[in-house]
Amino acid sequence: MDRFCIITNSGKAENYQMVRHIVQYLEQQGKFCHIMQNDRYDIGGIRHFTDVSKIPENMDCAIVLGGDGTMIQAAIDLVHQDLPILGVNTGSLGFLTEAECQNVDVALDRLIRGEYTIDHRIMLKEIAKFPGEDSRSSCYALNDMVISKTGGCRLITVKVYLNQELVDIYRADGLIVATPTGSTGYNLSAGGPVLVPGLHATVVTPICPHSLNKRSLLLDAKDQIVLEIGQTKDVGEDQAVFIADGRNVGSLHTGDRLVIEVPHATTELIKLSDIGFYERMRGKLNGN
């Protein structure tokens, strides 16, 4: 690799110092670096943090400094750029990041020598209610898409259809649709199963369901998921909010439908270490 795009929130002093170090280290070895600011802006109502139109052509890799939130933001913004991402953890958990600040030089050396593999992570895309006019304004998620109750609703009703067939009806605080990458996040906290990253599947998990027999649904990623907001009470509509990877996308009411698919585009995460998924999961989730 010779050409690197570095994405960071340089407003944080520790990130700025690390960017300077990475640029100096790479340029000393004859590599090209381009720094992108991680600043918020909106296109078509969808929140973004990296203006991909300003990324030079023929870049080999994106180095993203931050925690899991910054990694997710970058993954969504870079979804059509065909750039593998190396995460350098300057946050707390860093489940998606591959390198820590204290060993960044070793990570860069391995990257330059080609000593890495690439994990292809599936994503989610909403194509009906919030489709967007182009890829930059489309609604993607790397981790999960969530319907959550709002307003004065004590519960909401969500009908789940799979390939146009009604699968189940949930009365709950909300519903989570997660990828394998996102299965260790909100889905896990809500009692859903952990999916290994390479699994071509999604999981639907209710949030505090109003029934003892309502559990998660494990679905093939080829299946189209339709979520319809029902009506819990005889009087008044159900009110909910649609959230994609922590971004508040828009409001939903009784009768609204979301259509969620797994697009062909994937997020490419660079893997440098030989640490397996389960060992990494135990270490991160147990606070080690």
Side-chain angles (χ1 to χ4, degrees):
M1 289 187 174
D2 297 305
R3 295 171 60 84
F4 298 87
C5 174
I6 302 174
I7 299 174
T8 182
N9 181 354
S10 59
K12 296 182 178 180
E14 62 273 20
N15 283 17
Y16 181 68
Q17 295 298 325
M18 181 54 61
V19 167
R20 290 184 60 186
H21 173 79
I22 290 174
V23 170
Q24 183 179 29
Y25 192 87
L26 290 173
E27 288 183 344
Q28 285 175 348
Q29 301 185 59
K31 308 303 179 181
F32 173 81
C33 297
H34 179 79
I35 301 174
M36 297 288 297
Q37 299 297 326
N38 189 237
D39 297 321
R40 175 176 174 171
Y41 68 101
D42 294 328
I43 296 179
I46 303 298
R47 188 171 70 193
H48 293 269
F49 290 82
T50 301
D51 188 351
V52 296
S53 66
K54 296 181 180 179
I55 296 178
E57 296 182 356
N58 302 319
M59 303 303 286
D60 297 319
C61 169
I63 299 176
V64 178
L65 278 73
D68 287 341
T70 307
M71 284 288 290
I72 291 169
Q73 292 164 7
I76 294 168
D77 291 333
L78 297 172
V79 64
H80 292 299
Q81 299 303 304
D82 195 27
L83 273 179
I85 301 172
L86 174 68
V88 178
N89 184 29
T90 62
S92 53
L93 181 60
F95 199 91
L96 294 175
T97 54
E98 184 66 16
E100 301 293 332
C101 289
Q102 60 268 26
N103 62 10
V104 69
D105 291 356
V106 175
L108 294 175
D109 286 340
R110 297 195 63 178
L111 198 60
I112 293 170
R113 293 195 300 266
E115 298 174 357
Y116 61 86
T117 57
I118 294 180
D119 282 349
H120 296 269
R121 303 293 183 93
I122 66 171
M123 304 184 76
L124 300 171
K125 182 179 181 181
E126 203 287 314
I127 64 171
K129 183 71 174 176
F130 305 99
E133 297 179 357
D134 56 40
S135 61
R136 290 179 302 159
S137 59
S138 295
C139 185
Y140 286 88
L142 175 62
N143 264 1
D144 52 40
M145 292 185 169
V146 178
I147 295 176
S148 181
K149 69 176 184 178
T150 188
C153 292
R154 298 179 63 184
L155 293 170
I156 56 173
T157 298
V158 183
K159 301 176 183 179
V160 179
Y161 295 86
L162 191 63
N163 301 323
Q164 301 181 349
E165 178 183 355
L166 179 63
V167 177
D168 209 341
I169 300 175
Y170 292 92
R171 290 177 177 83
D173 284 357
L175 201 69
I176 303 165
V177 181
T179 65
T181 301
S183 68
T184 54
Y186 197 1
N187 166 75
L188 180 62
S189 298
V194 172
L195 310 183
V196 293
L199 192 63
H200 198 67
T202 59
V203 60
V204 176
T205 296
I207 305 168
C208 300
H210 195 61
S211 175
L212 292 176
N213 63 350
K214 297 297 184 183
R215 295 293 182 263
S216 298
L217 297 172
L218 183 61
L219 308 176
D220 193 310
K222 297 191 299 291
D223 295 328
Q224 184 184 82
I225 304 168
V226 177
L227 306 179
E228 179 181 331
I229 306 300
Q231 185 161 333
T232 305
K233 296 182 179 180
D234 294 334
V235 179
E237 293 184 331
D238 283 9
Q239 301 177 40
V241 61
F242 177 50
I243 302 167
D245 277 347
R247 298 164 294 151
N248 188 330
V249 178
S251 299
L252 300 170
H253 303 85
T254 296
D256 285 340
R257 280 189 161 208
L258 300 176
V259 180
I260 299 174
E261 293 183 346
V262 172
H264 293 297
T266 61
T267 291
E268 299 178 355
L269 297 182
I270 292 174
K271 181 175 173 59
L272 299 172
S273 68
D274 297 324
I275 299 176
F277 169 71
Y278 293 109
E279 181 180 351
R280 186 179 184 86
M281 181 180 69
R282 289 196 309 272
K284 293 291 185 179
L285 297 183
N286 291 333
N288 297 330

